[in-house]
Amino acid sequence: MAQSGTATFANPDDYGAAIGAASLKLIVTGRGDFNARLSWLKLDHLLLLHGRENLPRIGFFSFAPKQAVVSFPTNTGSHLTYGGFGLRFGDLVFHSRGERGHQRTNGESRWGLISLSHEGLAACTKALTGTKIVSPP
């Protein structure tokens, strides 16, 4: 059954806990009142997330090894840094199975995340591109 929704947050811990695709701890590095908005769509074997945050932060995350996870900035004004690389609109990060890491933002940011089974990722990419794309080990 499909589920969707949107929620707003003033507490970074509540926001991090609501991102069900990962174990996440946020440290806000900017001054001011934290505000975030999380939108989601859950289908049987697929989770789509879109996050918006108003302050710079560092996020420490851990993904479940059973899921393939792809993350990406969703607008040209987002300043996301992952693994020392600045991400731009149009870039995708294919996360490793069970990956742990951190992501930094330098201001207001918008990001997206797709989580699905490894088999689902291979099947979807085969259907869309004619080539199976598999999750990194």
Side-chain angles (χ1 to χ4, degrees):
M1 169 149 253
Q3 299 175 357
S4 63
T6 299
T8 56
F9 300 87
N11 181 305
D13 293 332
D14 294 342
Y15 177 61
I19 299 172
S23 171
L24 179 65
K25 174 67 178 165
L26 293 178
I27 298 172
V28 176
T29 59
R31 293 184 177 180
D33 294 327
F34 178 80
N35 291 298
R37 180 182 179 124
L38 183 65
S39 300
W40 63 89
L41 171 64
K42 291 182 186 180
L43 301 174
D44 289 334
H45 302 288
L46 175 71
L47 172 65
L48 304 172
L49 297 175
H50 182 255
R52 295 177 68 172
E53 304 154 15
N54 70 322
L55 294 176
R57 54 94 176 141
I58 299 172
F60 297 92
F61 62 85
S62 176
F63 295 115
K66 293 182 180 181
Q67 292 296 109
V69 178
V70 178
S71 65
F72 47 93
T74 61
N75 76 338
T76 56
S78 289
H79 302 285
L80 301 171
T81 301
Y82 173 76
F85 294 97
L87 301 177
R88 297 178 300 201
F89 183 71
D91 290 340
L92 296 172
V93 177
F94 285 89
H95 296 278
S96 299
R97 297 171 190 233
E99 182 175 337
R100 296 177 182 186
H102 71 276
Q103 180 191 68
R104 181 173 51 87
T105 66
N106 293 329
E108 184 176 319
S109 64
R110 296 180 187 182
W111 55 267
L113 184 140
I114 301 169
S115 175
L116 69 164
S117 70
H118 298 286
E119 298 79 17
L121 174 65
C124 289
T125 57
K126 176 75 173 168
L128 292 171
T129 68
T131 304
K132 281 188 179 179
I133 296 175
V134 295
S135 303

